[in-house]
Amino acid sequence: MASPLISASDLAALKDKVRLLDCRPAAAYGAGHLPGALNADLERDLSRALEADFDPAQGCRHPLPDLRTWRDTLGRWGITPGPYLFIPFIG
């Protein structure tokens, strides 16, 4: 079974086939990020946390957005079923 982890050189070799999402706060992203990475705000882009009817007591703190919203966000970033999606953990 292939590992989900790849080296920096393997990632560089995929640069034309991969979309990078940097999920750190905008200030950290602005201070430096992997070349080509898009900033994906955890609350705005990756969850329902900012929706008016959101209640963390009814689930978790950052539940995924509804399918239509998620699909539209991915499309806005140019992510389709074709390319790989890579979300580095930098923490």
Side-chain angles (χ1 to χ4, degrees):
M1 180 171 172
S3 171
L5 303 176
I6 64 172
S7 68
S9 59
D10 287 343
L11 177 60
L14 292 170
K15 68 179 179 168
D16 296 329
K17 299 176 184 175
V18 70
R19 297 298 292 172
L20 303 172
L21 294 183
D22 186 327
C23 302
R24 297 174 301 147
Y29 173 83
H33 54 272
L34 293 171
L38 302 169
N39 185 232
D41 183 273
L42 176 61
E43 294 195 358
R44 182 191 65 230
D45 300 318
L46 303 177
S47 78
R48 296 182 48 242
L50 298 180
E51 293 180 10
D53 65 341
F54 173 68
D55 179 3
Q58 298 298 318
C60 60
R61 188 171 159 205
H62 294 103
L64 285 173
D66 67 73
L67 186 56
R68 178 173 291 181
T69 301
W70 181 235
R71 182 197 63 209
D72 293 348
T73 298
L74 292 174
R76 200 172 61 247
W77 290 331
I79 297 171
T80 65
Y84 294 102
L85 177 61
F86 179 72
I87 305 173
F89 176 77
I90 303 169

